[in-house]
Amino acid sequence: MEKMTVQKIRRMLEDKLSNPNWTFTYDREQESLRVEDKETKKGINVSLQGVLAKYEQNDDQKAIEEYVYYVKEALTSMRVPIQLNGAERHIYPVIRSTSFPTSSNDIPLVYDEHTAETRIYYAVDLGKSYKLIDEKLLQKENLEKKTIKEMAMFNVRSLPTNVKEDAVAGNTFYFVRSNDGYDASRILNDSFLDSFKKRITGTMTVAVPHQDVLIVADIQNEVGYDVLAELTMSFFVNGKIPITALSFLYEEGELEPIFILGKNNKDTKRKEGDYT
């Protein structure tokens, strides 16, 4: 079987996303493909390494089709006019990396700083996708950022938090994967994190490697840190919207990024596919 490469992934995506209203820009350094709407000048950046990793993990076309669907939905939603008044229950915070743009088409996005690795943006949920809120929309609807933030934080606390659990070498890992677009956003639910803090007997760590997962870990030994490092990197590489491969210590309501140098233990190696 012919080996799949980043360039082949790129050509497949360009072929399946072919549209006279969309343009493609390839970033060789980042190995990413930007798909942009000619009219709105808004677009989506796709990490080709992430698509390749997911393709190799499953060895089929499903990964390609998932990204094609995601890009089509996102670009289509960007053309949908939105309003905030009357949509109060559909406003949520979304977590992004600090490398994520702070403006769109020169219009500042509404955001707050979070950690050294993450930033909080605000979005209106559209059902199958969502649209980030910018300063122009706030002014148009005569709303303040403080009001939007209060709505978003109330709504994220109202989301269900179903948890899957796995134990490795005496360490316990908890996964929130609702696939509603706001799994990583649940890191902002302090009462949820504090409930874990009360039951954890070791060191509590939290990770948001990509948009669709939140990992909480009860680390009891060095092996636990190795497993966490493997997990976060695997999720980070495979996520449609990667955030950060670093984890955070959770102490007294504060998140502190930590760097873990994994020892690559074969017996405890874990990857995203183990938890789908």
Side-chain angles (χ1 to χ4, degrees):
M1 187 175 181
E2 191 176 4
K3 182 177 175 59
M4 186 59 71
T5 65
V6 163
Q7 289 303 324
K8 289 178 182 177
I9 292 288
R10 173 192 171 189
R11 288 195 292 271
M12 290 175 72
L13 287 174
E14 288 180 345
D15 180 58
K16 291 178 179 293
L17 289 167
S18 179
N19 185 311
N21 297 316
W22 298 346
T23 62
F24 300 96
T25 306
Y26 175 59
D27 186 323
R28 187 180 301 275
E29 184 178 338
Q30 298 294 325
E31 292 192 317
S32 67
L33 180 68
R34 179 169 178 79
V35 189
E36 188 172 287
D37 188 302
K38 292 179 182 177
E39 184 178 333
T40 66
K41 302 300 180 184
K42 295 179 180 180
I44 297 294
N45 294 320
V46 180
S47 168
L48 297 179
Q49 278 291 353
V51 185
L52 178 59
K54 201 153 192 175
Y55 179 93
E56 291 177 335
Q57 178 180 309
N58 298 305
D59 198 25
D60 60 25
Q61 298 288 325
K62 185 178 178 183
I64 305 293
E65 297 302 330
E66 283 181 356
Y67 277 87
V68 168
Y69 174 81
Y70 160 70
V71 172
K72 284 182 176 179
E73 285 293 332
L75 287 174
T76 301
S77 71
M78 290 175 182
R79 284 176 166 264
V80 178
I82 62 170
Q83 61 181 43
L84 303 179
N85 288 301
E88 290 83 1
R89 292 306 303 268
H90 301 287
I91 295 172
Y92 292 94
V94 290
I95 302 294
R96 291 289 184 269
S97 71
T98 49
S99 62
F100 192 82
T102 56
S103 64
S104 176
N105 294 334
D106 297 324
I107 301 173
L109 293 168
V110 179
Y111 69 91
D112 281 304
E113 299 300 338
H114 182 225
T115 72
E117 299 293 318
T118 54
R119 194 178 285 141
I120 306 168
Y121 293 79
Y122 300 94
V124 181
D125 188 87
L126 302 175
K128 293 182 179 179
S129 60
Y130 53 67
K131 194 167 186 178
L132 294 179
I133 297 171
D134 59 34
E135 296 285 356
K136 184 177 180 180
L137 185 58
L138 275 191
Q139 294 170 9
K140 177 184 174 184
E141 304 219 7
N142 196 29
L143 290 170
E144 295 183 357
K145 173 182 168 182
K146 178 183 176 182
T147 304
I148 293 299
K149 181 177 180 178
E150 289 173 351
M151 292 177 187
M153 293 306 175
F154 174 83
N155 290 335
V156 79
R157 287 193 295 269
S158 301
L159 290 172
T161 48
N162 299 319
V163 179
K164 290 185 178 180
E165 181 179 330
D166 186 39
V168 184
N171 306 277
T172 308
F173 299 86
Y174 305 92
F175 302 86
V176 177
R177 300 199 71 184
S178 305
N179 290 316
D180 57 6
Y182 308 106
D183 286 313
S185 300
R186 287 164 169 82
I187 197 173
L188 302 172
N189 186 343
D190 291 336
S191 60
F192 175 66
L193 294 184
D194 287 340
S195 70
F196 269 97
K197 186 64 178 175
K198 292 174 183 176
R199 63 199 277 194
I200 282 176
T201 58
T203 300
M204 179 172 171
T205 61
V206 184
V208 283
H210 67 65
Q211 170 186 280
D212 297 309
V213 67
L214 168 64
I215 304 171
V216 179
D218 185 348
I219 303 297
Q220 299 285 342
N221 50 51
E222 289 301 316
V223 174
Y225 285 107
D226 293 343
V227 174
L228 182 61
E230 294 280 357
L231 269 176
T232 52
M233 181 55 71
S234 177
F235 274 92
F236 177 76
V237 170
N238 285 292
K240 293 187 187 73
I241 303 181
I243 299 176
T244 176
L246 293 186
S247 301
F248 302 88
L249 291 175
Y250 186 73
E251 288 288 346
E252 297 180 358
E254 298 293 327
L255 294 163
E256 180 185 343
I258 54 173
F259 179 77
I260 304 167
L261 186 61
K263 296 188 177 68
N264 200 19
N265 254 306
K266 286 194 296 183
D267 295 336
T268 58
K269 197 176 181 72
R270 293 293 190 277
K271 59 183 184 300
E272 178 182 8
D274 298 331
Y275 303 97
T276 54

